[in-house]
């Protein structure tokens, strides 16, 4: 029997796969989902995905202070560009274990996939 975290990661992988299979110009929801996942993983203030050039632009704080002590200041923001060859694999690589991450993934799944019942009650998906 799979654990709650295993089910959660499986469902996130399925959602990522579905979001990458849909052409970007047809689904604003999936673009928002992908941006949200990247913002969370990189702790970025903003993310832009350019499907044509296969790059991800991140605006993140250059400050070493924890986010709880200081909010983003545009003077401290730096732009980072990341190239990818496979967006689906890049997004799947952003999945992490942890209580905070699990709660975030549950929220994403509820909002974009409506599978929260299978995660809260693993017996449903068995």
């Amino acid at each position: 029997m799979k654990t709650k975290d295993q089910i959660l990661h499986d469902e996130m992988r399925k959602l990522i796969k579905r979001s990458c299979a849909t052409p970007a110009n047809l689904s604003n929801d999936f673009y928002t989902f992908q941006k949200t996942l990247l913002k969370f993983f990189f702790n970025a203030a903003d993310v832009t995905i350019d499907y044509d050039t296969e790059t991800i632009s991140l605006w993140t704080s250059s400050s070493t202070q924890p986010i709880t002590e200081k909010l983003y200041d545009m003077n401290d923001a730096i732009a980072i560009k990341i190239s990818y060859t496979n967006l689906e694999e890049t997004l799947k690589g952003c999945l992490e274990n942890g209580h905070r991450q699990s709660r975030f993934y549950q929220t994403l799944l509820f909002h974009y996939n409506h599978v929260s019942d299978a995660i809260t009650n693993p017996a449903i998906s068995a």
Side-chain angles (χ1 to χ4, degrees), residues 109-121:
L109 287 168
F110 178 76
H111 183 77
Y112 293 101
N113 206 27
H114 305 291
V115 295
S116 62
D117 291 338
I119 293 163
T120 354
N121 187 358

Side-chain angles (χ1 to χ4, degrees), residues 9-107:
H9 278 248
D10 287 347
E11 292 299 324
M12 282 296 294
R13 284 186 197 94
K14 289 177 190 175
L15 180 57
I16 289 169
K17 182 178 181 113
R18 205 167 60 245
S19 79
C20 292
T22 305
N25 59 351
L26 295 180
S27 179
N28 192 38
D29 280 346
F30 282 144
Y31 178 73
T32 304
F33 160 72
Q34 294 168 352
K35 280 181 55 168
T36 303
L37 180 60
L38 290 165
K39 282 173 73 171
F40 179 79
F41 181 76
F42 288 104
N43 193 25
D46 193 26
V47 171
T48 304
I49 304 169
D50 187 336
Y51 299 103
D52 295 329
T53 61
E54 295 184 336
T55 58
I56 299 167
S57 299
L58 305 167
W59 285 96
T60 186
S61 174
S62 63
S63 173
T64 57
Q65 294 180 343
I67 192 69
T68 54
E69 293 180 19
K70 182 178 178 182
L71 295 176
Y72 286 107
D73 181 359
M74 289 313 287
N75 293 327
D76 291 338
I78 57 171
I80 301 171
K81 283 199 181 233
I82 300 171
S83 296
Y84 65 87
T85 53
N86 185 327
L87 182 60
E88 180 180 338
E89 292 303 317
T90 301
L91 293 172
K92 286 179 180 177
C94 293
L95 298 178
E96 299 176 300
N97 292 319
H99 182 69
R100 185 173 145 263
Q101 289 83 351
S102 293
R103 288 180 42 184
F104 179 72
Y105 301 152
Q106 278 184 301
T107 303

